[in-house]
Amino acid sequence: TIDDAPEFARQHADRLHTYPMHARTHSPVWPLLFRAAIRAGASPVAAPLARGVAWVLGGRFDEGAELARSVAAGSVEIAPELAARPLSDDVIHGLWLLTGVLALATALLPIACYGLVRAFADADSALHAAAWVPWIAAPLVYFPAVDVLYPVLFVLATSAWLRRDRALGWALVAGAVVALLVALSYGNLALLLTLGLVPLLTWGQPARRTRRELLAAALLIAPLAALLGWAASSGLRPLAMFAAGMAQHRAILAHRSLPLWVALNPLECVVALGLPTALCLFAGVDWRAIVRGARAAALDGASAVLAATALTLAVLDVGGQTKGEAGRLWMGFFPLLVAGAAPVLVARARDWHGLVPLSALTLLVLQGFYVFVWLYPLR
C-alpha cells in the first residue's frame, strides 16, 4: 500500500503511532524492503524462484499461500486494509523471495562465524565454533521473522572490527555494517557498545595505541553519521523517527515490571540459545579468569569478545529497554558468545558429545511450542 516511498519515509515519524505494535518502534526501512520484495514478486522469474525457495526449504508453496491469505484475512484489528482484499500472487511470490534471503543469511552464519574466530584464534577453534553455531536455537525457532537477518550481520561487523589492527579500512567496513543494522532496527545500536568494549578490555596489550584506536573509532562511527546526514538532508528527519520510535517503545512497555523482566530475560536467553549452548558457556568458561582479565584490561581476543558481549547483554537487561522477547531481540549477540567461547569448545569437545542430540531435541520442542501452540492455540 506504499505508493510514494520518499513521502512515506518523510511522514514516518508523524504516522508511527498509527501502525501496529511492532511497527511503531522501527524505522521505515523494513516496510520499504517488503515493498521492494512485493514488486520483485511481479517479475516473470519470481514465480519459479518463489517455488524453488519453498522446495529448498521443504515448504509447500500452495499451502503456504493459503495460510498467508487466511492470516491476512483475519488481521482486521491489526491491518484492516489486508483483511479487505486477498493477498495477490505478487505478494506471495515476494514473501517467498524475502524468505529465501533470510534463509541464505541464516545458512551463511557458520561461515561468517568461522571468519570471526579466525580473527583471534586458530583454524581448529574456528571450525568448532562454525560447527556449534547452527545449534543456536533462536534463528531457527524465529525463522522466517526478519530478526534472523541480524546474527550474520553482527558477526560480520565484529569480524571486520577485530581486523582493524591489520588495516584501518576494516573499521570503516564494520561501521558500514553497523549503519545498515541501525537502519533496519534501532535496537541494533547496542552492538556499538560491544565493539567499543573490545579494545577497552584488551587495552593492556602492548600493541594498543591511543591515536590509532581513536581513528578506528571515528571510522566505525563515520558511516552511521553519513547515513544520518544524508537522511536529514533528504527531509527524512531521522532523529525525529528515532525519538518517536523510542517514545512508542516506552509506551508499549510501560505496564511491564522491570524487576520481573530483569529476572526473566536471562531465562529466555537460555532457552533461545539452547540449553546445551548455555550449559557450555556457563560450565565450560572460566568466568573468574575473565573477570580478573577484564579488571586488568588484559584479555585476549576470544575472552574480550565473550566478555564484551556478556557485559552488553547485562546492560540491556538492567537498562529496562527490553521487557520480554529477549531471545528474539538479542539473538544477534548469541553467535558472538559462541565465537568468544571457541577455545573452550575445542578444549572441552570430548565432554560435550552428548549435547548434540540434546540440542536437536531442544530445537524440536521449541519449534513445536512456537509453531503448534503459538500459531495454532490448543483448545
Side-chain angles (χ1 to χ4, degrees):
T1 60
I2 302 174
D3 297 321
D4 187 339
E7 181 64 19
F8 171 80
R10 284 192 290 268
Q11 298 298 321
H12 187 72
D14 297 329
R15 297 175 179 173
L16 208 57
H17 67 282
T18 66
Y19 299 151
M21 184 179 74
H22 289 295
R24 292 208 305 266
T25 63
H26 285 74
S27 76
V29 173
W30 271 117
L32 293 175
L33 287 177
F34 272 94
R35 174 179 180 263
I38 292 170
R39 291 197 168 190
S43 66
V45 298
L49 281 176
R51 289 185 177 273
V53 170
W55 180 80
V56 169
L57 296 179
R60 298 180 180 179
F61 181 87
D62 294 329
E63 292 183 8
E66 182 181 352
L67 176 61
R69 291 188 173 104
S70 175
V71 171
S75 59
V76 179
E77 296 182 0
I78 298 177
E81 68 279 5
L82 289 179
R85 65 181 189 278
L87 297 183
S88 67
D89 290 341
D90 294 351
V91 174
I92 300 298
H93 296 156
L95 292 177
W96 273 113
L97 294 178
L98 186 57
T99 299
V101 172
L102 298 174
L104 181 61
T106 304
L108 292 176
L109 183 57
I111 299 174
C113 195
Y114 177 90
L116 169 58
V117 177
R118 287 296 286 132
F120 54 75
D122 57 24
D124 197 21
S125 297
L127 283 172
H128 276 75
W132 194 271
V133 79
W135 295 105
I136 296 176
L140 302 178
V141 170
Y142 289 104
F143 182 85
V146 296
D147 304 82
V148 303
L149 177 63
Y150 302 146
V152 70
L153 294 178
F154 271 57
V155 170
L156 291 175
T158 307
S159 181
W161 178 243
L162 293 179
R163 287 171 167 79
R164 70 194 182 284
D165 290 338
R166 305 175 189 180
L168 277 173
W170 284 111
L172 191 63
V173 174
V177 180
V178 169
L180 172 61
L181 281 164
V182 174
L184 294 171
S185 175
Y186 301 133
N188 292 330
L189 277 166
L191 179 59
L192 286 174
L193 177 58
T194 302
L195 300 185
L197 285 170
V198 167
L200 295 178
L201 293 171
T202 59
W203 201 266
Q205 297 179 6
R208 291 283 166 253
R209 298 177 182 176
T210 302
R211 180 177 297 178
R212 186 177 178 86
E213 287 297 333
L214 289 176
L215 180 56
L219 291 174
L220 177 66
I221 299 298
L224 181 58
L227 178 63
L228 290 174
W230 170 81
S233 65
S234 301
L236 301 183
R237 301 186 298 154
L239 296 182
M241 289 183 192
F242 178 77
M246 292 300 97
Q248 291 299 320
H249 183 76
R250 289 191 297 271
I252 290 171
L253 301 182
H255 68 285
R256 300 184 184 180
S257 170
L258 176 59
L260 174 64
W261 286 105
V262 167
L264 290 180
N265 285 335
L267 179 60
E268 183 173 352
C269 283
V270 168
V271 175
L273 265 169
L275 181 59
T277 302
L279 285 174
C280 182
L281 291 173
F282 291 141
V285 175
D286 187 351
W287 289 101
R288 292 182 180 180
I290 288 181
V291 171
R292 290 194 299 269
R295 288 175 176 174
L299 293 177
D300 59 17
S303 297
V305 170
L306 183 58
T309 306
L311 283 170
T312 301
L313 291 175
V315 170
L316 290 174
D317 189 28
V318 301
Q321 291 300 309
T322 305
K323 299 177 183 177
E325 297 188 273
R328 176 179 66 85
L329 298 173
W330 297 350
M331 78 168 76
F333 293 101
F334 295 165
L336 302 185
L337 294 174
V338 172
V344 174
L345 297 176
V346 175
R348 302 290 298 272
R350 293 184 179 180
D351 299 337
W352 302 104
H353 285 320
L355 294 181
V356 173
L358 183 56
S359 296
L361 179 61
T362 300
L363 289 172
L364 287 174
V365 171
L366 290 176
Q367 280 284 19
F369 174 80
Y370 278 101
V371 174
F372 296 107
V373 177
W374 176 74
L375 188 57
Y376 304 104
L378 298 178
R379 290 183 173 85

